[in-house]
Amino acid sequence: MGRPAKFNRDDAIAIALDAFWEQGYEPTSVSELSSRMSITRSSFYNSFVSREALFSEVLALYGKQSCDRFMNDLKEGDPILPAFRKVLENLIDARMDDEDAKGCLVTNGMANNEKSCEVAHVFRDIMGTRVDRYTELLEHAIDSGELAGLDNPRTTAATFVSQMVGINMMSKVIRDRQQLYAMAETILRGLGLAEVPASINAQNVA
């Protein structure tokens, strides 16, 4: 039996996203994916080549709803510190709006898969790219005078990302939006990324 005439690739990737998000990468077999998509295994491989290749497409789709996708659009001169706050707010809102408390697909994958997992490198690349971008933005904030007293932007960026992972995990058991907002405020202040009122900035410059 070949692929159904009404097979829609975008719909199939969305179905796979739900499956991987619900169960994780390893437990979600090609047989189950094929069944959910209502196609045969041979059609699955004809369409997606491999489960790993499909997962890469799933992550690309998932990335379109990422809490920090706007960070790639920031231009020179744009305020940086409010953007870091917005990342955490978006993250918390996304987790709280999910009544099933599934958490983050990427964080779940990092937590549930062994280092030998065939997609482990994908998670490393995602985290590495995020740390690189955040480092770049923090360096811009330092150069513009928006941020002072930060000795190692890369370490701060990596720590911020680790705190995002933490919120993703904690949101599965802490279902209180305001409590998570308070945690986010503590993170920002602890890393020196909380916005300083303009009047204080002016006094420091003076």
Side-chain angles (χ1 to χ4, degrees), residues 39 43 118 126 168:
I39 61 176
S43 292
E118 63 189 3
I126 290 172
N168 275 319

Side-chain angles (χ1 to χ4, degrees), residues 4 11 52 55 81 132 160 191:
D11 289 345
E52 180 181 357
F55 190 65
L81 295 184
D132 287 345
F160 184 86
L191 292 176

Side-chain angles (χ1 to χ4, degrees), residues 12 15-17 19-20 28-39 44 51 54:
I15 289 171
L17 170 58
F20 286 128
T28 306
S29 66
V30 170
S31 294
E32 179 175 353
L33 290 166
S34 301
S35 177
R36 289 196 184 207
M37 296 175 188
S38 299
I39 61 176
F44 175 92
R51 184 177 60 155
L54 170 61

Side-chain angles (χ1 to χ4, degrees), residues 114-176:
E114 300 293 334
K115 292 181 180 180
S116 59
C117 172
E118 63 189 3
V119 294
H121 67 94
V122 177
F123 300 129
R124 287 195 296 270
D125 290 346
I126 290 172
M127 290 296 120
T129 298
R130 181 167 277 156
V131 171
D132 287 345
R133 178 55 176 162
Y134 289 3
T135 300
E136 180 182 29
L137 291 173
L138 290 176
E139 289 172 344
H140 288 331
I142 293 170
D143 292 342
S144 70
E146 181 184 1
L147 183 60
L150 194 65
D151 295 330
N152 194 322
R154 186 166 191 82
T155 297
T156 300
T159 304
F160 184 86
V161 171
S162 74
Q163 295 302 308
M164 291 173 63
V165 172
I167 289 178
N168 275 319
M169 295 299 292
M170 291 298 291
S171 68
K172 292 184 175 186
V173 293
I174 298 178
R175 303 301 295 166
D176 183 325

Side-chain angles (χ1 to χ4, degrees), residues 2-4 6-10 12-13 30 33-34 37-51 53-55 57:
R3 186 169 60 189
K6 294 184 178 180
F7 176 83
N8 183 294
R9 184 183 180 84
D10 291 337
I13 294 172
V30 170
L33 290 166
S34 301
M37 296 175 188
S38 299
I39 61 176
T40 64
R41 284 174 60 92
S42 61
S43 292
F44 175 92
Y45 287 112
N46 286 336
S47 298
F48 302 109
V49 180
S50 68
R51 184 177 60 155
L54 170 61
F55 190 65
E57 294 193 55

